[in-house]
């Protein structure tokens, strides 16, 4: 599998998490913890696609701050999504188990979705630019 195929595969799986968020938000009893978890997972996979893009080894980490920092070393524009990565990072593990430290509300969940969408847009635009430059 070449680099481009690997990136596409990471994005494909990220988009499955993103679609899960959209589906769960239409539920009568919205599972906020699971929705926030999938927001984090979407961003994690998008960032790992960028690690592939920049030829950085993918580590087993759910820490969006760490993953974003690695990307930022190759492209300082990643600084623009630092806050969103910080805000979403704790949803990776904490929300998947009972007795977590969060009291998640619809408002916090909508914020997680906004953060996810900002990162997806940023990285999507970045990948499109790379694709456009490749054709020149």
């Amino acid at each position: 599998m070449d680099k481009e195929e690997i990136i596409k595969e990471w994005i494909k799986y990220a988009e499955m998490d993103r679609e899960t968020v959209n589906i769960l938000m239409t539920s009568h009893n919205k599972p906020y913890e699971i929705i926030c978890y999938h927001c984090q997972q979407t961003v994690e996979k998008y960032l790992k696609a960028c690690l592939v893009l920049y030829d950085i080894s993918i580590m087993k980490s759910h820490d969006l701050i760490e993953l974003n920092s690695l990307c930022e070393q190759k492209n300082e524009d990643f600084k623009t999504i630092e806050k969103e990565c910080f805000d979403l990072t704790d949803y990776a593990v904490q929300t998947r188990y009972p007795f977590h430290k969060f009291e998640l509300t619809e408002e916090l969940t909508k914020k997680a979705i906004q953060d996810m969408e900002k990162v997806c847009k940023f990285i999507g635009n970045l990948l499109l630019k790379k694709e456009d430059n490749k054709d020149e």
Side-chain angles (χ1 to χ4, degrees):
M1 201 179 269
D2 71 6
K3 184 173 167 174
E4 190 174 313
E5 290 171 334
I6 295 169
I7 291 169
K8 285 180 181 176
E9 205 57 21
W10 277 108
I11 299 301
K12 174 184 164 188
Y13 275 78
E15 286 300 316
M16 285 192 274
D17 280 309
R18 192 175 181 188
E19 181 61 20
T20 299
V21 168
N22 294 330
I23 290 167
L24 291 174
M25 280 302 288
T26 66
S27 300
H28 176 67
N29 291 319
K30 295 172 181 61
Y32 298 134
E33 292 81 4
I34 304 305
I35 293 168
C36 289
Y37 165 73
H38 282 287
C39 289
Q40 185 282 336
Q41 284 291 289
T42 300
V43 170
E44 180 180 324
K45 290 173 178 99
Y46 263 96
L47 288 169
K48 287 181 176 179
C50 290
L51 293 179
V52 173
L53 176 70
Y54 294 128
D55 298 315
I56 301 170
S57 295
I58 295 177
M59 63 188 58
K60 290 184 179 184
S61 175
H62 300 297
D63 186 339
L64 303 181
I65 301 160
E66 179 179 24
L67 298 173
N68 190 61
S69 177
L70 290 170
C71 293
E72 196 178 315
Q73 292 173 17
K74 299 286 186 172
N75 180 342
E76 65 185 27
D77 291 342
F78 277 84
K79 194 159 201 59
T80 64
I81 58 169
E82 275 182 349
K83 181 171 181 353
E84 289 76 14
C85 291
F86 177 82
D87 290 347
L88 288 169
T89 289
D90 283 344
Y91 297 142
V93 178
Q94 297 290 332
T95 58
R96 294 186 337 197
Y97 302 102
F99 313 112
H100 53 77
K101 65 180 181 179
F102 302 109
E103 182 60 43
L104 291 172
T105 63
E106 186 165 10
E107 184 179 325
L108 286 171
T109 302
K110 286 180 178 179
K111 168 73 168 72
I113 293 169
Q114 288 173 345
D115 290 345
M116 173 193 72
E117 292 297 344
K118 181 178 177 182
V119 173
C120 290
K121 183 177 179 181
F122 170 80
I123 293 175
N125 288 338
L126 176 86
L127 293 174
L128 281 175
K129 284 180 191 173
K130 289 287 185 189
E131 191 66 28
D132 289 344
N133 290 339
K134 186 179 85 172
D135 295 335
E136 294 176 357

